[in-house]
Short mmCIF file of all heavy atoms in Angstrom, two decimals:
data_model
loop_
_atom_site.label_atom_id
_atom_site.label_comp_id
_atom_site.label_asym_id
_atom_site.label_seq_id
_atom_site.Cartn_x
_atom_site.Cartn_y
_atom_site.Cartn_z
N GLN A 357 -5.30 -7.34 12.37
CA GLN A 357 -6.06 -7.34 11.13
C GLN A 357 -5.58 -8.48 10.25
O GLN A 357 -4.40 -8.78 10.21
CB GLN A 357 -5.85 -6.01 10.38
CG GLN A 357 -5.78 -4.79 11.24
CD GLN A 357 -7.03 -4.57 12.04
OE1 GLN A 357 -8.11 -4.79 11.55
NE2 GLN A 357 -6.88 -4.14 13.27
N LEU A 359 -6.45 -9.85 6.21
CA LEU A 359 -7.21 -9.72 4.97
C LEU A 359 -6.79 -10.82 4.02
O LEU A 359 -5.62 -10.96 3.72
CB LEU A 359 -6.97 -8.37 4.32
CG LEU A 359 -7.45 -7.14 5.08
CD1 LEU A 359 -6.32 -6.56 5.89
CD2 LEU A 359 -8.01 -6.10 4.16
N GLN A 361 -7.12 -12.75 0.30
CA GLN A 361 -7.47 -12.62 -1.10
C GLN A 361 -7.02 -13.88 -1.84
O GLN A 361 -6.03 -14.51 -1.44
CB GLN A 361 -6.75 -11.42 -1.74
CG GLN A 361 -7.03 -10.09 -1.11
CD GLN A 361 -6.23 -9.00 -1.81
OE1 GLN A 361 -5.44 -8.27 -1.20
NE2 GLN A 361 -6.42 -8.86 -3.12
N GLU A 364 -4.26 -15.87 -7.19
CA GLU A 364 -4.22 -15.64 -8.64
C GLU A 364 -5.61 -15.79 -9.23
O GLU A 364 -6.41 -16.60 -8.77
CB GLU A 364 -3.28 -16.66 -9.30
CG GLU A 364 -1.82 -16.51 -8.94
CD GLU A 364 -0.94 -17.52 -9.68
OE1 GLU A 364 -1.48 -18.37 -10.40
OE2 GLU A 364 0.30 -17.44 -9.51
N GLN A 374 -14.24 -10.66 -10.68
CA GLN A 374 -14.44 -10.18 -9.31
C GLN A 374 -13.30 -10.69 -8.44
O GLN A 374 -13.01 -11.89 -8.44
CB GLN A 374 -15.78 -10.69 -8.77
CG GLN A 374 -16.08 -10.29 -7.34
CD GLN A 374 -17.47 -10.70 -6.91
OE1 GLN A 374 -18.46 -10.46 -7.61
NE2 GLN A 374 -17.58 -11.30 -5.73
N ASN A 376 -12.12 -10.97 -4.58
CA ASN A 376 -12.69 -10.90 -3.24
C ASN A 376 -11.65 -10.57 -2.18
O ASN A 376 -10.47 -10.90 -2.33
CB ASN A 376 -13.36 -12.23 -2.90
CG ASN A 376 -14.52 -12.54 -3.82
OD1 ASN A 376 -15.20 -11.65 -4.30
ND2 ASN A 376 -14.73 -13.82 -4.08
N GLY A 395 6.82 -4.53 -11.12
CA GLY A 395 7.92 -3.58 -11.10
C GLY A 395 7.51 -2.16 -10.80
O GLY A 395 8.36 -1.27 -10.75
N LEU A 406 -18.45 3.29 3.43
CA LEU A 406 -19.76 2.80 3.82
C LEU A 406 -20.07 1.52 3.06
O LEU A 406 -19.49 1.26 2.00
CB LEU A 406 -20.83 3.85 3.51
CG LEU A 406 -20.65 5.22 4.16
CD1 LEU A 406 -21.69 6.19 3.62
CD2 LEU A 406 -20.72 5.10 5.67
N GLY A 408 -21.88 -0.95 0.58
CA GLY A 408 -22.51 -0.73 -0.72
C GLY A 408 -21.50 -0.68 -1.82
O GLY A 408 -20.34 -1.06 -1.67
N PHE A 418 -17.13 -3.02 -3.66
CA PHE A 418 -18.28 -3.29 -2.80
C PHE A 418 -17.79 -3.64 -1.41
O PHE A 418 -16.74 -4.29 -1.25
CB PHE A 418 -19.09 -4.46 -3.38
CG PHE A 418 -20.23 -4.90 -2.50
CD1 PHE A 418 -21.44 -4.21 -2.51
CD2 PHE A 418 -20.09 -5.99 -1.66
CE1 PHE A 418 -22.48 -4.62 -1.69
CE2 PHE A 418 -21.13 -6.41 -0.84
CZ PHE A 418 -22.32 -5.71 -0.85
N GLY A 426 -15.55 -7.81 1.07
CA GLY A 426 -15.56 -6.78 0.04
C GLY A 426 -15.07 -7.38 -1.26
O GLY A 426 -14.50 -8.47 -1.29
N GLU A 432 -15.22 -5.20 -18.65
CA GLU A 432 -14.62 -4.97 -19.97
C GLU A 432 -13.10 -5.06 -19.87
O GLU A 432 -12.36 -4.14 -20.24
CB GLU A 432 -15.04 -3.60 -20.52
CG GLU A 432 -16.54 -3.44 -20.65
CD GLU A 432 -16.93 -2.00 -21.03
OE1 GLU A 432 -16.05 -1.22 -21.43
OE2 GLU A 432 -18.13 -1.70 -20.92
N ALA A 444 -7.01 -3.08 1.37
CA ALA A 444 -6.32 -2.52 2.53
C ALA A 444 -7.34 -1.89 3.46
O ALA A 444 -8.37 -1.37 3.01
CB ALA A 444 -5.28 -1.48 2.11
N ARG A 446 -7.83 0.63 7.17
CA ARG A 446 -7.30 1.46 8.25
C ARG A 446 -8.09 1.09 9.51
O ARG A 446 -9.28 1.39 9.60
CB ARG A 446 -7.50 2.94 7.94
CG ARG A 446 -6.59 3.49 6.87
CD ARG A 446 -6.76 4.99 6.76
NE ARG A 446 -5.94 5.62 5.76
CZ ARG A 446 -4.70 6.06 5.96
NH1 ARG A 446 -4.13 5.89 7.12
NH2 ARG A 446 -4.03 6.63 4.98
N PRO A 447 -7.47 0.41 10.47
CA PRO A 447 -8.20 -0.05 11.65
C PRO A 447 -8.66 1.11 12.52
O PRO A 447 -7.93 2.11 12.65
CB PRO A 447 -7.18 -0.93 12.38
CG PRO A 447 -5.86 -0.44 11.93
CD PRO A 447 -6.04 0.03 10.52
N GLN A 452 -3.52 5.02 11.47
CA GLN A 452 -2.38 5.07 10.56
C GLN A 452 -1.79 3.69 10.27
O GLN A 452 -0.98 3.55 9.38
CB GLN A 452 -1.30 5.98 11.15
CG GLN A 452 -1.75 7.41 11.36
CD GLN A 452 -2.03 8.13 10.06
OE1 GLN A 452 -1.66 7.66 8.99
NE2 GLN A 452 -2.71 9.24 10.13
N PHE A 456 -2.46 -4.24 4.57
CA PHE A 456 -2.76 -4.67 3.21
C PHE A 456 -2.98 -6.18 3.17
O PHE A 456 -2.36 -6.93 3.93
CB PHE A 456 -1.60 -4.32 2.27
CG PHE A 456 -1.58 -2.90 1.83
CD1 PHE A 456 -1.07 -1.91 2.65
CD2 PHE A 456 -2.06 -2.54 0.58
CE1 PHE A 456 -1.05 -0.58 2.24
CE2 PHE A 456 -2.04 -1.21 0.16
CZ PHE A 456 -1.54 -0.24 1.00
N GLY A 459 -2.67 -9.77 -1.71
CA GLY A 459 -2.74 -9.42 -3.13
C GLY A 459 -3.24 -10.55 -4.01
O GLY A 459 -3.05 -11.74 -3.72
N ILE A 465 -6.10 -12.78 -20.39
CA ILE A 465 -5.65 -13.51 -21.59
C ILE A 465 -6.52 -13.16 -22.79
O ILE A 465 -7.69 -12.80 -22.62
CB ILE A 465 -5.64 -15.03 -21.34
CG1 ILE A 465 -7.04 -15.52 -20.94
CG2 ILE A 465 -4.61 -15.38 -20.29
CD1 ILE A 465 -7.13 -17.02 -20.77
#
Side-chain angles (χ1 to χ4, degrees):
Chain A
Q357 321 300 322
L359 295 95
Q361 301 178 237
E364 294 182 356
Q374 178 174 312
N376 297 329
L406 302 173
F418 175 81
E432 302 173 14
R446 287 187 181 272
Q452 299 294 346
F456 280 81
I465 59 176

